[in-house]
Amino acid sequence: LLSGYENEHTYSPKPSDLVAVRKARLLFEVGIGLEVWVSSLVKNAGSASLLVVTTSKGIARLRDTEHHEGAAHAGEGGERGNPHIWLDPENAMMMLQHITEALIGVDPPHAAEYRANQASYLRKLDQLRGELSERVARVADRRFIAHHPAWPYFARRFGFQIVGTIQPQSGSEPSALQLHGLIATIKKDRIKVVVSEVQLSRRIPELLAKETGARVVVLTTLPGGLPHTETYLDMLRYNVLQLAYALEGL
């Protein structure tokens, strides 16, 4: 439903999305309150046979407050937790398990093929994760300012450190006091990089860069958001390498 350029929080489904969901047998979502627009889309599609699969089930969530980013996300029933779980390849492996089982559930004759494809993909993902971890290990200073709370799972997996966040809540604008605080932090601690996202306006990150001399690097939370990020593996590689290069001043 999303091609990569859209904001996953605020996406507004198109009429063609309604038709697609009405025809589908499965709809995969992350859950944890990420795709707030999915429930109304499913309801309006009115397909009694559609199965909605929440791929975040069983994955331990990080609370936004643990990363000084505010209580930015709330799941069902007000349960809080950062929903950007897929940016950690370890979590993606569990999500892949849910996807595989759901596909087998609606198409049992091809179970062996689905499992073989899953095993092949897991090998590729594990190899890439190892290569990227080795690359990041060579980066001396791994601290950065985040645009919004998309990166705690990613940072934890690869050893980066988020030292501040521009938008503690998705869609919110930072106050003048918050901006002054971020500028002071960047200057005092000599933070080199501000991470923005192609799905968000770069106005404030560019302002911080202008005031401090830090560098803005634009990443993507969704495959397809930037050139050379067409697949999940491509996106993971791009995000890690671009951030590593920026931190090294390359």
Side-chain angles (χ1 to χ4, degrees):
L1 295 174
L2 277 68
S3 61
Y5 298 97
E6 309 90 348
N7 185 318
E8 59 267 33
H9 297 282
T10 59
Y11 180 65
S12 181
K14 305 181 293 292
S16 58
D17 294 333
L18 189 68
V19 174
V21 171
R22 190 172 289 149
K23 292 179 178 178
R25 298 177 69 184
L26 295 169
L27 189 152
F28 296 105
E29 66 169 4
V30 174
I32 325 177
L34 179 78
E35 310 100 325
V36 294
W37 43 271
V38 161
S39 57
S40 59
L41 176 61
V42 169
K43 183 179 179 181
N44 292 335
S47 172
S49 61
L50 177 70
L51 177 63
V52 178
V53 179
T54 301
T55 57
S56 60
K57 284 183 179 176
I59 295 175
R61 304 170 200 170
L62 294 174
R63 290 183 179 273
D64 287 312
T65 49
E66 291 176 0
H67 294 268
H68 313 289
E69 294 165 351
H73 305 99
E76 293 179 6
E79 186 178 2
R80 297 195 178 277
N82 189 297
H84 297 87
I85 56 169
W86 70 94
L87 294 172
D88 177 351
E90 288 279 349
N91 291 339
M93 291 177 179
M94 172 122 13
M95 298 172 80
L96 186 62
Q97 179 69 28
H98 293 311
I99 292 168
T100 303
E101 295 304 323
L103 290 169
I104 291 171
V106 298
D107 188 19
H110 293 99
E113 189 175 350
Y114 289 125
R115 293 200 191 284
N117 287 342
Q118 179 191 23
S120 173
Y121 192 89
L122 285 173
R123 284 193 294 272
K124 293 176 184 175
L125 184 54
D126 192 50
Q127 181 181 353
L128 179 62
R129 179 192 57 178
E131 291 173 0
L132 294 176
S133 294
E134 287 180 15
R135 174 66 183 87
V136 176
R138 303 201 302 268
V139 180
D141 184 357
R142 303 174 204 155
R143 302 169 301 160
F144 69 91
I145 300 288
H147 196 154
H148 104 285
W151 305 101
Y153 298 96
F154 174 86
R156 182 183 63 175
R157 176 59 52 202
F158 292 106
F160 294 111
Q161 183 185 355
I162 303 167
V163 294
T165 304
I166 296 170
Q167 292 179 316
Q169 295 186 343
S170 181
S172 66
E173 286 288 314
S175 66
L177 186 63
Q178 286 173 305
L179 285 178
H180 284 305
L182 285 171
I183 290 169
T185 296
I186 294 170
K187 289 181 175 179
K188 174 177 169 288
D189 297 336
R190 298 181 180 178
I191 305 301
K192 301 174 187 173
V193 172
V194 177
V195 169
S196 187
E197 297 151 45
V198 70
Q199 295 85 4
L200 302 175
S201 166
R202 290 201 288 279
R203 181 178 62 84
I204 295 177
E206 295 288 359
L207 172 66
L208 290 180
K210 184 179 179 182
E211 290 288 331
T212 64
R215 176 177 177 180
V216 176
V217 61
V218 179
L219 307 181
T220 180
T221 55
L222 298 175
L226 290 166
H228 314 297
T229 66
E230 284 70 25
T231 70
Y232 175 78
L233 296 176
D234 290 337
M235 179 193 75
L236 199 62
R237 182 184 295 107
Y238 182 93
N239 284 340
V240 171
L241 294 183
Q242 290 301 310
L243 182 51
Y245 294 148
L247 288 168
E248 291 172 334
L250 301 177

